[in-house]
Amino acid sequence: MYNFTKQVLITFISLTFVSSLHAQEASDGIKFAQRQATGTARSQAIGGAMGSLGGDISAAGVNPAGLGFFKTSEFSITPGFNFFTNKTAYPYTSDNLNQKGTYSNDRSLLTIPAAGLVLPLGEAAGTNWRSFTLGINFTPTTNFANKTYLEGDNYRYSMTDKWVQDLRNQTATVNHVLGDYTHELYSDGAKLGVATYLLDIMTLNGNSDWYSSANAANGLLQIDRVTEKGFSYELSAAVAANYGDKWMFGLTVANENLTYKKERAYSEDDISGVNDNEFAFWEYQVKQKTKGDGYNVKLGVIYTPTSSIRIGAAFHTPTWYQMVTTNDNVMITNTENFEVDGSSERSSATRNFYGNNPSELIYKYRTPYKALASVSYIFGTRKFEPKAVGFITADVEYIDYTTTHYRITEQKYNQNVLNAEIKQNYKSAFNTRIGGELKIDWLALRGGFAYNGSPYNFGDADGSTKKISGGVGFRKHGVFLDLTYVHTMSSIPYYSFNIAQPKGTLANYGGVSDIRMGTVAATFGVKF
């Protein structure tokens, strides 16, 4: 299997590669760190700007001091419905002369309802502590449902180049890789690649080195099909205190849970037209499940210098997760004229290394912290009929995605690679939200806009997310109904693999996903 045409891969020894298809990926870390604007329909209608406004249970997840404005008890529930389109294109570049087109996926689904309960606890008699408030809130934070399809030619890199570099860096031997039954010292892809003869050691001029049969210099048709499912939610308890109707203080303690499933079929086919170069195709079928359980704390304060002005600030600690990821993967390789036991095609599975069970990895994961500043202006009068009041509110939020961190006790090498990739490929960002409401008697009209800055430090896609929202609300006799529509637009990079080169530059091979999502939410609530 030592075909001389593969020696071109040896020239990659001077490059440093970043992770691809370990049990965890840096892109998953960022995915788990991002939050979608959820909560009540009123909150979503004003762009999620709840940093200083208050008076809504959604404030528990943004600035819990906002619960200090409540004077009565309240219960609400918010079901919703999402429908979205994801269009993904493999970019046309000098390295990809055969762009296969744009692929579209349309989906719709019901969302998990949010629900909240607010209970004022009274005041401290004889002091300026006017009221204390307790809030219990259940909020879905992210829906991971998505489908991605990429197809294009690549004449420079194969995904297997990453595994080759890992094996070199770890000074691995074939026997050591194939004997890795008890610890995940090597990535799943590397082990299955060695087991199927996709990866092997070649001796040239007396020097032995790892190489891959998938030689991109000959041309590779790369196809990447990904289906994602799952969600995350937050269950929180918040307390707020009102001091002299001037200062509001709040604290939220939250439990975060996530469930994430990914099925992926990635393949590379030889398009050289040569039938005796010891490579026809390989395919990697991934079935990954991740469950996480974590905790975070949110602290907030709101100052009201006048009845018309509210100024807020909040800090969110990272969410500290305990994670479990299982992989049940299969690799199929066809080495054409190179045969083993009379066959050129062979397969191997993750279960072969784990006693016929999927692999399981337990590790810790930390999301970024957040800091927020906000201001609201309240206007209008209740002295005349019809009573017209309203507000304009705005939030600015800072989040540093480079502080996302993995701690993998059993895989120090993979841990260091993942954390290094996060610091190299991602960055800090500012998120802004603005919204307003005009209430005339029992009818409220609302609108909002949100802009989430790009976390990506690479790629041609804009990477940001924009949301335009609007809604109406009806309140009378202690009962309220709010209806909202949110239109979300984002253009994000999706890469099958990333290759870091000298001086920190990146060669990324994948595409751009243009996502358009519509969300309809309705909140029904009662005051008592």
Side-chain angles (χ1 to χ4, degrees), residues 89-90 96 98-101 103 149-153 221-224:
Y90 199 100
N96 174 36
N98 191 15
Q99 202 264 69
K100 300 296 182 179
Y103 300 89
Y149 184 94
L150 292 175
E151 182 178 346
D153 297 345
L221 169 61
Q222 297 174 335
I223 301 177
D224 196 1

Side-chain angles (χ1 to χ4, degrees), residues 349-478:
T350 306
R351 289 174 176 264
N352 296 346
F353 292 86
Y354 298 92
N356 203 33
N357 295 308
S359 68
E360 180 180 278
L361 185 66
I362 300 174
Y363 56 99
K364 297 183 185 298
Y365 162 73
R366 185 188 71 209
T367 68
Y369 67 87
K370 297 178 183 178
L372 176 145
S374 176
V375 63
S376 297
Y377 173 67
I378 315 298
F379 62 86
T381 177
R382 294 182 179 274
K383 296 181 179 180
F384 306 103
E385 295 292 342
K387 299 174 182 178
V389 296
F391 61 80
I392 298 174
T393 184
D395 295 354
V396 177
E397 180 181 77
Y398 174 80
I399 178 170
D400 186 357
Y401 290 100
T402 67
T403 62
T404 303
H405 186 79
Y406 284 96
R407 184 181 177 187
I408 313 172
T409 304
E410 295 183 358
Q411 292 189 16
K412 289 296 184 182
Y413 174 82
N414 290 340
Q415 168 192 286
N416 294 338
V417 168
L418 281 167
N419 291 331
E421 180 184 355
I422 288 170
K423 290 186 179 300
Q424 182 179 24
N425 288 357
Y426 299 93
K427 62 181 181 180
S428 59
F430 284 96
N431 302 329
T432 57
R433 301 182 286 266
I434 185 170
E437 176 185 278
L438 176 62
K439 186 178 179 182
I440 303 174
D441 200 7
W442 51 269
L443 174 65
L445 304 175
R446 307 181 181 110
F449 176 78
Y451 175 86
N452 293 342
S454 172
Y456 306 103
N457 202 27
F458 62 89
D460 299 324
D462 175 64
S464 65
T465 298
K466 306 173 187 67
K467 297 186 178 185
I468 301 173
S469 53
V472 296
F474 308 91
R475 277 167 164 72
K476 199 154 189 173
H477 304 306

Side-chain angles (χ1 to χ4, degrees), residues 4 132 178 245 322 461:
F4 188 78
F132 298 91
L178 296 181
D245 289 328
Q322 181 79 8

